[in-house]
Amino acid sequence: TSARNIVSVEQQNAAASSAVAMSIDMNTTAGTAARALKIDSEQTTGVVAEIDASEITTGKGLEIKTTKLTTGSALDVSDTSAETGTRNTVNIVQNSVDALSATALNIQSDGGKLGVMIDKNYTDDTAATVKGMHLDVDRTGGVSTGTDTVYGLDVDVTNLNATGGTITSYGIDINVTGDVGGDSKNIGLNVAVTGADTNYGALINGGNVGIGN
C-alpha cells in the first residue's frame, strides 16, 4: 500500500533546455479505435491524470494543437453518469485573490458564425428552478477613492465595413416561449435594482425605444 511509481521517466539536467522527457509518435492515419495514448483507470477517488506545472510562468501547462479539423473536436469531455448529486463536469478555478488581472476563462473565436453555444436541456416531472446560465459577481474591498465600476455582464457588439444589404445588430436578443399548462406566465426581462444612493432599472443613452413592431 505504500506510494511508488510503476514506471518513472526523469530528465534531471536543468540545462537540457530542448529535451523531451517522453515522445509518442503515432502514425496511424485512420481508425476510430486507434489511440496514441489511452489510460484505463478503475479509481473511484484521487486523480487519474495529473499535470504539475506549478513552476510555469510565461509558458503553458497544457497545449493542444489541431490544424486539419473538419467535424472533429480539439477537446471532447463527456459525462454520462446518471448520479443525481451535485457536480461540475468541468471545473475551472482561478484561486488567488491577489491575481487582480487574471482571467479564469478566455475564449477567442476568429472564424465560424457562432462564438459560444450553450444548449441546456432539462427533463424531469418534479417542479424546479432551471437556469441556462447563472452569473454571480461579488466585488469586495474597502475602496476609498477613485471610480469603481462593476459589470455583471458587459456586451460589446461592433458591426463594420458593410457596403450594402440590410444590416441589423443586436446587443441582446431575448426570446421566451412558455408552457400553456397550469397558471403560466412569461417575463422577457426582470430587473431588480436596490441598495445604491441612486438606482436605475434601465438607463438608455442614445437611440430610440420601440414597443411592439
Side-chain angles (χ1 to χ4, degrees):
T1 59
S2 61
R4 63 187 183 276
N5 296 321
I6 305 301
V7 177
S8 179
V9 178
E10 298 183 19
Q11 196 294 108
Q12 295 185 341
N13 188 342
S17 58
S18 297
V20 176
M22 182 173 67
S23 176
I24 299 175
D25 185 359
M26 175 67 168
N27 292 316
T28 299
T29 58
T32 57
R35 304 286 188 272
L37 176 65
K38 179 177 179 179
I39 300 174
D40 182 1
S41 174
E42 306 303 322
Q43 292 175 245
T44 57
T45 60
V47 179
V48 173
E50 178 180 356
I51 298 175
D52 183 353
S54 56
E55 299 301 318
I56 283 288
T57 55
T58 59
K60 302 172 184 178
L62 176 64
E63 182 176 51
I64 299 174
K65 289 184 177 181
T66 63
T67 59
K68 297 182 180 180
L69 273 179
T70 54
T71 58
S73 302
L75 178 64
D76 186 10
V77 179
S78 178
D79 179 356
T80 59
S81 172
E83 172 60 43
T84 59
T86 301
R87 67 179 180 273
N88 297 319
T89 300
V90 177
N91 190 38
I92 298 174
V93 180
Q94 191 287 311
N95 211 18
S96 174
V97 297
D98 296 324
L100 299 181
S101 296
T103 300
L105 176 63
N106 182 57
I107 298 174
Q108 177 178 330
S109 174
D110 293 325
K113 298 180 178 66
L114 189 62
V116 177
M117 171 69 177
I118 298 176
D119 183 0
K120 171 59 183 172
N121 303 300
Y122 183 87
T123 302
D124 193 74
D125 294 332
T126 302
T129 299
V130 181
K131 301 178 182 182
M133 176 184 289
H134 177 71
L135 181 62
D136 181 8
V137 179
D138 300 310
R139 195 268 192 254
T140 59
V143 178
S144 59
T145 61
T147 301
D148 189 68
T149 305
V150 178
Y151 292 93
L153 179 64
D154 185 11
V155 179
D156 184 359
V157 178
T158 302
N159 191 347
L160 299 173
N161 300 326
T163 58
T166 301
I167 312 302
T168 304
S169 300
Y170 292 92
I172 298 178
D173 184 15
I174 301 174
N175 297 283
V176 181
T177 302
D179 196 340
V180 297
D183 184 9
S184 62
K185 176 171 59 176
N186 284 344
I187 301 174
L189 182 65
N190 184 18
V191 179
V193 182
T194 61
D197 294 330
T198 304
N199 299 287
Y200 294 98
L203 182 61
I204 300 173
N205 297 306
N208 300 318
V209 177
I211 305 297
N213 295 324

